[in-house]
Amino acid sequence: MGASDAAVGTGKPGGTDDAATSLKRRTFLQIIGASVAAGALSGCRPPREKIIPYAKQPPELTPGVANWYASTCPGCSAACGALVKVMDGRPIKLEGNPDHPLSRGGLCAIGQGAVAGLYDPYRRIGPSREGKPTTWAEADAAISDALSRSRASKRQVALLTGSMSGSATAALVADFMAAFPQARHVIYDPFPCEAVREAHRRAYGVSVVPRYRFDQADLVVAFGADFLGTWLSPVEFTKQWSSKRAASHAARHIQVEARMSLTGTNADERHTLSPSEQADCLAATLMKVVTTLGAATPDLASVKASWTSEVQTVADRLADALVAQRGKRLVVTDLGDAAVQTLAVALNDALGNVGTTVDLERPSRQWQGSDTQLASLVGAMQRGDVEVLIIHGCNPAHSWPRGKEFADAVAKVPCSVATGSVADETTRLTKWHCPSPHALEAWSDAEPASGIHSIGQPVLRPLYRTRSLQDSLLAWSGKRMSFHQYLQEHWRTAVFPKAAKASGDFAAFWDEALERGWVQVEASPTRVGPFRKGVVPSALRQVAGRTKEPNGTEFELYHSVALRDGEAANNPWLQELPDPITKITWGNCACIAPSLATRLGISEGQWIEVGAADGSALAVPAHVQVGQHPGTVSIALGYGRTEAGPIGNGVGVNAGHLAALSGGMRRFHGQARSVAVASNRPAFPFAKTQIHDDLDGRPIVGEADRHAHGSPEEGHDHGHAGHEEERRKANLWGKPIPSDRRWGMVIDLDRCTGCSACVAACDIENNVPAVGPDEVRRSRDMHWMRIDRYFEGDADSPTVRHQPMMCQHCANASCESVCPVLATVHDDQGLNVQVYNRCVGTRYCANNCPYKVRRFNWFDNQAKLAARRLGLNPSVTVRSRGVMEKCSLCIQRIQEARIRSRNEGRDVQDGEVRTACEQSCPADAIVFGDLQDPNSRVARLAKDTRAFSALEELNRQPAIRYLARSKRTEVEA
């Protein structure tokens, strides 16, 4: 029985009606009709809301006009420079700081999504004790008492944090630790670089991570290091790599890896070897390079005997390339093995790379974690030696291979404190939770490289009752000052005197630092001793002594571009960001080669069990990936969270426990005890945004000979000449109506790496909703911009092409001719615009679009929670259900520039308007501007002989042009 039937009623059992509870049907319908009419009339009136104006408007705040503040990106320890866009008091967007010497304006997808964490409705709003809310006064009193007991009993006080490179923060931690006789500061990172530091300590006597200079290298050889995706400082490295790649004497890049990584897809030459084979290949390459250069080599016949013929062939190729290359070279590897890293150090030294492409005097300070120190701390906690444990900025309960052992150890600590802003897996283990504010609500500092200091400044007051770790340490130390005051004083005494232009006015220096977001000072160079040749024979023996099973299967763990260590797993925009290679969203997978899938009878999405040598096993759905090493299974980390929040919980599987501890250090690869099909589970339906991977011979993505680069006046032809002839073909609708401007874009496929930072930037700038895995499976994802990825050639060693694709803003647009309500039309700026209020959702335009870039809103996908909606861009309409939407080339930014130029009595200048995708691109692959202005950069690039349009034969006349990717097949002298 429905609700209306119950209201109308037919009388009580027994045949008598109750006049007080029954109504005649006619009377009921009259009442309903009157209420509907009243509701309709009330909808014609605006809602009543109290508006309280400023009594005195702040001079720096104009409603509807954004303010920008320089800061430091909180996404990871790379500490890129960032600009925070604040609209009406709310931070809504992070952009790269173009003046920052490391990131130079780029920002990765993680950095783009960091602003969403500010409005995460599942942040902790205040301190708690064993899950129950408490006050800061009570928490401070209890923790201070515990610290006093530790001083009296001489038991340990342990501070466990992620990397904090800021000099002021480091000084504050040192001051805090000095107050306790048994204190230790342990740093734990999701990206262990301890093997790199240990290798340089063995070789030069200095425990540092070098600052690698890809912009100085004429040849880069990488063993597994995904330096364009997730390794160390990907934004910095992408900037360097793309600038060198676009130079007249372009750098060459050779990648040796097991999985198809983002960096591998951009390599000029790629070889597939398992992780253990990579170690052997590095050893063989070193031996041949040293022999070719005429240096003495150790007699290690037993070492050479362990190399396979395939390893020796690749090593010969690499050694010949390294020796023949004239200019500077660079060799890097990400293997978490100190012996393997020592071989890479020796190879760089033999090639003369130290001081040019490997900077040891001004090293990186980005990743300082130590697995051995964490293992030691866990042992101390298990023995009961730790009185107070303070955890900040790390989640070892999720990512440490021995998570249960860590949890049991924390339970033995009398006073355990977590200071994360959310209640994660590690926070749940502690007795006290003293939440920190979001990075955009607090002061911080960073020193990502020696001598480069940056500041993170709050751009709004904390939304909740939170307090930063630095302020908490000051409070628990009994110091009556804020970290803002401590930071200023530290910069006055330690940073300001080293500044090149330092004068007596610190206030002016401080204001300038806040305005720029960073300063560069003279730093004392690290003293590096001579290379110790004795470390090479022992490292070679260690590598050769690793246990290897002939024809055995290995596993490899890696970090994804979207989630890294999984800290941002509750961010729906990052969960829905497609993996650049697999195009899978909302989860991870086990990448296996087609040959391995055929041999084991594994199909796409089928669950497999991967067993490690220690007896542990992991069930994970399989993805058949071309270009994968046939003897290696690769699984992404950062998934399988259990305390991330309702969005991130249970997404994917946690592969972290497969990592092994060797010499106290994590190794993200090893021998798989078994790989078997889990026959009792149905296939998992991956949520993919691209299901067709082949070009099928279609000339969609252009390729050109790099030696033919040049302007049309120089007579160079890259096989894409003749677009103008295409434009003169017959047109059913006649010539396009002339417009004042013709906004357009050129995308250089030679620079584009496919990193997807532009996709994340577009989503956040334009309020593009995340729809969830079920809708993605139905091809209902809402991304206005996508990165198409195509494979060509042999499945074992394919060629990969990346092509950003968005609305092409065609002058001869096929969508406009079929819309029955003129919802998609051209404006006076040459843009193909979408009038949301007219759209009735016929979807004719999407059916008629050859580029398939229009998105239909099947549901009201925007988050209903108020906290999430606070982060939406107020300059962009929030679309409702039943409306077609697409890329607008950030028309809101175009209009802002037009209004500003009109008020100033001038024309819009070239480069004044930057779309969100252009501004975020770490590779500087996107250029936006007016195609009708012959002096604009975009117009000049559009006439380059590498320029082509997608699907030129259709004569759509798009405003988006591409520059063909260059062929590089030979080592250039």
Side-chain angles (χ1 to χ4, degrees):
M1 184 172 63
S4 59
D5 297 326
V8 175
T10 56
K12 289 183 177 181
T16 59
D17 291 342
D18 189 342
T21 58
S22 64
L23 290 173
K24 292 183 179 180
R25 186 174 297 274
R26 181 186 297 273
T27 305
F28 172 77
L29 293 176
Q30 288 175 346
I31 294 173
I32 291 297
S35 64
V36 169
L41 291 176
S42 65
C44 299
R45 298 191 300 267
R48 293 181 179 179
E49 295 181 359
K50 294 182 179 180
I51 301 176
I52 303 175
Y54 285 116
K56 183 177 181 182
Q57 179 177 320
E60 71 278 3
L61 181 61
T62 302
V65 177
N67 290 333
W68 292 86
Y69 299 91
S71 190
T72 302
C73 177
C76 70
S77 183
C80 297
L83 299 177
V84 186
K85 183 179 183 179
V86 179
M87 184 76 77
D88 299 335
R90 292 181 290 117
I92 61 171
K93 188 73 170 62
L94 281 178
E95 302 284 6
N97 186 346
D99 297 328
H100 196 274
L102 298 187
S103 54
R104 292 184 287 169
L107 206 61
C108 68
I110 295 286
Q112 295 289 333
V115 70
L118 175 64
Y119 304 107
D120 187 344
Y122 303 100
R123 284 175 55 193
R124 301 295 92 182
I125 63 174
S128 61
R129 179 178 184 177
E130 296 180 344
K132 298 180 180 179
T134 185
T135 64
W136 278 106
E138 181 182 353
D140 289 344
I143 296 171
S144 297
D145 288 345
L147 291 171
S148 298
R149 288 196 304 269
S150 70
R151 188 181 290 109
S153 63
K154 295 185 180 181
R155 297 178 69 192
Q156 293 183 17
V157 172
L159 177 61
L160 174 60
T161 72
S163 287
M164 299 185 298
S165 60
S167 60
T169 300
L172 173 58
V173 169
D175 290 346
F176 178 79
M177 294 285 100
F180 305 96
Q182 299 291 331
R184 63 164 73 182
H185 179 204
V186 177
I187 302 175
Y188 172 78
D189 283 331
F191 303 93
C193 291
E194 189 172 11
V196 180
R197 292 197 303 272
E198 175 61 18
H200 285 87
R201 187 196 65 79
R202 295 177 182 180
Y204 297 106
V206 290
S207 179
V208 297
V209 175
R211 186 182 173 195
Y212 296 107
R213 299 299 302 269
F214 290 87
D215 55 339
Q216 301 293 327
D218 297 308
L219 173 62
V220 175
V221 177
F223 291 86
D226 187 14
F227 60 85
L228 299 179
T230 59
W231 188 63
L232 294 187
S233 185
V235 172
E236 176 188 359
F237 295 159
T238 301
K239 279 287 181 182
Q240 297 176 356
W241 179 89
S242 63
S243 64
K244 187 65 175 179
R245 190 176 182 88
S248 57
H249 182 65
R252 182 166 170 75
H253 171 203
I254 303 176
Q255 187 81 5
V256 183
E257 60 185 8
R259 68 182 179 94
M260 178 70 78
S261 70
L262 181 67
T263 304
T265 64
N266 290 278
D268 301 307
E269 185 178 325
R270 180 175 177 270
H271 303 276
T272 55
L273 295 177
S274 69
S276 63
E277 290 174 332
Q278 291 173 36
D280 288 343
C281 184
L282 186 52
T285 303
L286 172 64
M287 295 288 288
K288 183 166 184 181
V289 166
V290 172
T291 302
T292 305
L293 295 178
T297 58
D299 183 15
L300 298 172
S302 61
V303 173
K304 296 181 181 180
S306 66
W307 302 338
T308 64
S309 58
E310 183 180 6
V311 166
Q312 187 65 65
T313 300
V314 175
D316 290 343
R317 169 66 182 147
L318 298 178
D320 292 342
L322 288 167
V323 173
Q325 177 69 48
R326 298 175 186 172
K328 303 167 186 176
R329 292 144 291 190
L330 176 61
V331 179
V332 293
T333 178
D334 69 343
L335 295 178
D337 187 318
V340 177
Q341 290 289 345
T342 300
L343 299 181
V345 171
L347 189 53
N348 279 317
D349 186 86
L351 294 169
N353 299 337
V354 177
T356 54
T357 59
V358 179
D359 190 349
L360 294 177
E361 292 187 346
R362 291 170 294 277
S364 168
R365 296 171 51 86
Q366 293 163 324
W367 300 99
Q368 305 170 1
S370 172
D371 290 347
T372 55
Q373 290 186 18
L374 178 58
S376 173
L377 174 62
V378 171
M381 290 191 295
Q382 289 176 329
R383 294 189 300 270
D385 296 339
V386 179
E387 177 74 24
V388 179
L389 173 66
I390 303 171
I391 305 174
H392 173 81
C394 60
N395 188 10
H398 169 73
S399 56
W400 183 247
R402 300 172 183 172
K404 187 178 185 306
E405 179 182 319
F406 176 82
D408 294 340
V410 172
K412 297 180 179 180
V413 178
C415 179
S416 55
V417 185
T419 63
S421 61
V422 297
D424 56 23
E425 291 83 350
T426 299
T427 301
R428 298 293 188 188
L429 304 175
T430 60
K431 296 178 175 61
W432 294 90
H433 187 190
C434 300
S436 297
H438 189 271
L440 298 181
E441 300 172 316
W443 290 96
S444 64
D445 68 328
E447 189 181 0
S450 181
I452 299 176
H453 298 262
S454 60
I455 296 178
Q457 58 177 315
V459 294
L460 80 166
R461 291 183 178 178
L463 299 177
Y464 308 117
R465 294 182 297 112
T466 55
R467 190 174 69 190
S468 70
L469 170 70
Q470 293 90 334
D471 283 312
S472 292
L473 293 181
L474 287 168
W476 298 334
S477 300
K479 297 181 179 179
R480 298 181 177 275
M481 64 186 307
S482 67
F483 180 64
H484 178 217
Q485 296 169 321
Y486 189 98
L487 177 66
Q488 274 191 312
E489 185 59 30
H490 176 82
W491 275 54
R492 183 193 306 275
T493 57
V495 179
F496 177 58
K498 299 178 183 178
K501 298 181 180 179
S503 62
D505 189 4
F506 171 76
F509 171 81
W510 176 255
D511 290 343
E512 182 181 359
L514 289 180
E515 184 178 351
R516 297 180 64 192
W518 63 278
V519 296
Q520 189 163 2
V521 302
E522 291 293 332
S524 300
T526 302
R527 294 183 179 181
V528 181
F531 180 75
R532 302 169 180 173
K533 296 181 180 180
V535 301
V536 175
S538 59
L540 287 169
R541 292 190 187 94
Q542 290 180 45
V543 171
R546 303 284 189 244
T547 303
K548 306 181 183 71
E549 293 185 13
N551 302 319
T553 303
E554 299 181 35
F555 68 84
E556 177 192 39
L557 309 178
Y558 66 95
H559 291 90
S560 70
V561 169
L563 283 193
R564 305 281 183 90
D565 64 332
E567 180 184 357
N570 208 47
N571 187 331
W573 287 273
L574 294 179
Q575 287 280 9
E576 199 153 300
L577 185 71
D579 183 271
I581 310 302
T582 66
K583 294 302 175 182
I584 292 175
T585 67
W586 292 97
N588 56 350
C589 63
C591 293
I592 61 174
S595 59
L596 180 62
T598 301
R599 180 162 59 88
L600 298 179
I602 300 172
S603 58
E604 181 76 6
Q606 193 167 9
W607 288 84
I608 63 174
E609 288 189 354
V610 181
D614 62 356
S616 61
L618 179 72
V620 58
H623 167 67
V624 181
Q625 176 63 58
V626 300
Q628 179 80 13
H629 185 268
T632 305
V633 178
S634 301
I635 309 171
L637 296 166
Y639 292 88
R641 294 286 306 277
T642 58
E643 297 290 347
I647 294 174
N649 286 345
V651 178
V653 297
N654 183 10
H657 70 268
L658 288 180
L661 290 176
S662 177
M665 303 180 194
R666 276 174 295 170
R667 291 175 58 189
F668 290 148
H669 62 87
Q671 199 73 35
R673 177 173 47 85
S674 62
V675 177
V677 177
S679 57
N680 60 336
R681 304 184 68 169
F684 182 80
F686 289 121
K688 294 184 179 180
T689 59
Q690 183 178 348
I691 57 177
H692 191 81
D693 301 326
D694 301 321
L695 286 170
D696 296 325
R698 299 169 295 169
I700 297 177
V701 184
E703 190 174 55
D705 181 2
R706 72 170 306 271
H707 296 288
H709 288 190
S711 64
E713 292 78 11
E714 296 173 343
H716 296 288
D717 183 3
H718 299 276
H720 297 282
H723 336 289
E724 300 303 326
E725 182 63 29
E726 293 286 341
R727 297 190 178 200
R728 288 193 286 269
K729 286 183 178 180
N731 183 1
L732 179 64
W733 302 103
K735 294 182 178 180
I737 300 175
S739 57
D740 297 337
R741 292 182 182 271
R742 173 75 159 131
W743 294 109
M745 183 179 288
V746 172
I747 303 175
D748 190 347
L749 299 183
D750 220 14
R751 284 175 171 263
C752 176
T753 65
C755 71
S756 300
C758 54
V759 178
C762 175
D763 288 352
I764 296 171
E765 168 72 19
N766 295 292
N767 302 332
V768 176
V771 298
D774 291 338
E775 294 304 302
V776 174
R777 293 186 185 103
R778 294 178 172 89
S779 298
R780 292 177 177 177
D781 56 285
M782 298 298 295
H783 296 298
W784 285 11
M785 184 178 188
R786 68 176 190 262
I787 309 290
D788 289 340
R789 182 266 302 117
Y790 298 103
F791 300 119
E792 291 182 295
D794 183 61
D796 292 331
S797 183
T799 300
V800 185
R801 299 284 179 263
H802 298 285
Q803 184 180 38
M805 182 61 63
M806 70 289 286
C807 175
Q808 301 289 291
H809 292 269
C810 308
N812 185 22
S814 55
C815 57
E816 296 178 4
S817 60
V818 296
C819 181
V821 293
L822 293 179
T824 174
V825 293
H826 257 66
D827 70 354
D828 61 347
Q829 301 289 299
L831 297 176
N832 175 259
V833 297
Q834 186 74 17
V835 185
Y836 299 131
N837 287 343
R838 281 186 195 161
C839 182
V840 296
T842 64
R843 293 183 287 154
Y844 294 161
C845 56
N847 293 335
N848 215 39
C849 174
Y851 306 100
K852 300 306 173 188
V853 290
R854 305 177 75 86
R855 302 286 181 249
F856 182 72
N857 248 322
W858 290 88
F859 303 101
D860 288 328
N861 292 305
Q862 289 293 356
K864 301 298 189 296
L865 295 172
R868 291 282 191 200
R869 295 183 65 86
L870 285 173
L872 297 179
N873 186 352
S875 300
V876 179
T877 301
V878 178
R879 286 76 60 189
S880 61
R881 176 180 179 177
V883 170
M884 187 67 68
E885 56 186 75
K886 63 170 189 68
C887 166
S888 65
L889 288 181
C890 290
I891 190 172
Q892 69 278 6
R893 297 191 176 198
I894 295 174
Q895 293 299 100
E896 180 183 359
R898 291 178 68 187
I899 293 172
R900 182 171 57 248
S901 62
R902 182 187 61 198
N903 292 341
E904 296 175 1
R906 58 175 178 82
D907 291 333
V908 177
Q909 303 298 311
D910 183 37
E912 184 175 355
V913 182
R914 303 192 70 195
T915 60
C917 57
E918 176 191 22
Q919 190 161 5
S920 66
C921 179
D924 295 324
I926 303 174
V927 178
F928 178 77
D930 183 8
L931 290 169
Q932 292 185 169
D933 179 5
N935 297 320
S936 67
R937 185 185 175 203
V938 70
R940 294 195 303 270
L941 289 174
K943 294 179 181 178
D944 189 283
T945 48
R946 279 196 297 144
F948 70 96
S949 300
L951 303 177
E952 290 178 336
E953 65 275 11
L954 299 181
N955 192 31
R956 297 297 94 189
Q957 302 178 21
I960 311 298
R961 306 294 292 278
Y962 298 91
L963 298 184
R965 182 180 173 88
S966 300
K967 296 178 182 178
R968 293 178 175 87
T969 57
E970 299 295 334
V971 176
E972 300 177 13

